[in-house]
Amino acid sequence: MSKHNFKSLEYLLHGNERHRLAFEEMNRLQIFKTLQPFDPVLTGTLPIGIDIPSSDLDIICECVDHNAFAEVLAHEFGSLHNFKISTVYANNLKATICEFEFGSFVFEIFGQNLPTEEQNAYRHMIKEHTILLEKGEEFRKQIIALKLRGIKTEPAFADLLGLEGDPYKAILDY
């Protein structure tokens, strides 16, 4: 896996079967076209090749107006299976979170009034991608094995790297 532009979905076309399926279903849904005003980025485990069958598709967005963002989400995706939307506080910032099912995937759209590249989901993914490139295929397989046992991504990385304390912070400091 080489370094690539995570802001474009084109890299998924050169990935595994699940990557190509995600690309196809996101295109069918036209989700990035709909979310384009919010600078969407696919984050999480799928882009960096450590997803498991139960992994969802996490899309982060920058939204200044949470009400307007929620209206777009409800209008465009509200009829989809298991649609739900809520506004919470994450890392002391207001966040609008939308979930639904489409095709083979559960989608989670997360919006904060913060540029996508500054959001923790993006920062974690970039750091984890760098670690995976450094540590190699065996390390990647160990992460996936831990995830299959129910361990979340950041705690799995922290465990294998021997990091202490809050795994979410420790990964960013690594």
Side-chain angles (χ1 to χ4, degrees):
M1 195 180 333
S2 61
K3 291 197 176 206
H4 52 255
N5 176 11
F6 287 108
K7 301 265 281 185
S8 164
L9 294 177
E10 298 299 311
Y11 67 91
L12 294 173
L13 292 171
H14 308 290
N16 62 35
E17 185 179 331
R18 195 162 151 83
H19 286 120
R20 291 187 299 278
L21 179 61
F23 181 87
E24 179 184 307
E25 291 189 1
M26 285 187 287
N27 264 356
R28 220 164 27 109
L29 192 56
Q30 295 198 358
I31 194 164
F32 271 63
K33 183 178 180 186
T34 298
L35 297 175
Q36 190 272 326
F38 306 102
D39 193 26
V41 180
L42 178 67
T43 60
T45 58
L46 185 117
I48 59 175
I50 56 170
D51 56 302
I52 59 175
S54 61
S55 296
D56 59 6
L57 296 181
D58 296 309
I59 300 171
I60 60 170
C61 295
E62 178 181 6
C63 70
V64 176
D65 181 338
H66 287 271
N67 291 332
F69 183 60
E71 284 177 25
V72 168
L73 295 172
H75 180 263
E76 295 294 328
F77 310 116
S79 65
L80 297 175
H81 191 64
N82 286 334
F83 177 86
K84 48 187 177 217
I85 191 165
S86 60
T87 300
V88 299
Y89 280 83
N91 302 312
N92 298 317
L93 276 178
K94 190 174 186 180
T96 297
I97 302 170
C98 170
E99 289 182 24
F100 56 85
E101 295 172 25
F102 181 80
S104 302
F105 294 95
V106 171
F107 286 78
E108 182 177 286
I109 302 171
F110 180 93
Q112 279 187 316
N113 186 6
L114 192 63
T116 51
E117 292 176 342
E118 293 177 23
Q119 292 185 30
N120 279 344
Y122 184 84
R123 295 173 60 221
H124 281 131
M125 179 182 71
I126 295 302
K127 181 65 86 163
E128 290 158 4
H129 178 65
T130 301
I131 293 167
L132 288 166
L133 290 173
E134 288 171 1
K135 300 288 185 183
E137 183 62 16
E138 190 54 40
F139 184 86
R140 187 182 75 78
K141 288 178 180 174
Q142 291 175 329
I143 291 289
I144 291 170
L146 289 173
K147 290 180 59 56
L148 286 167
R149 291 196 354 233
I151 298 173
K152 295 258 184 219
T153 305
E154 286 75 8
F157 271 85
D159 182 48
L160 288 180
L161 296 169
L163 303 178
E164 300 288 322
D166 177 358
Y168 296 88
K169 185 178 179 333
I171 290 297
L172 294 177
D173 292 341
Y174 179 78

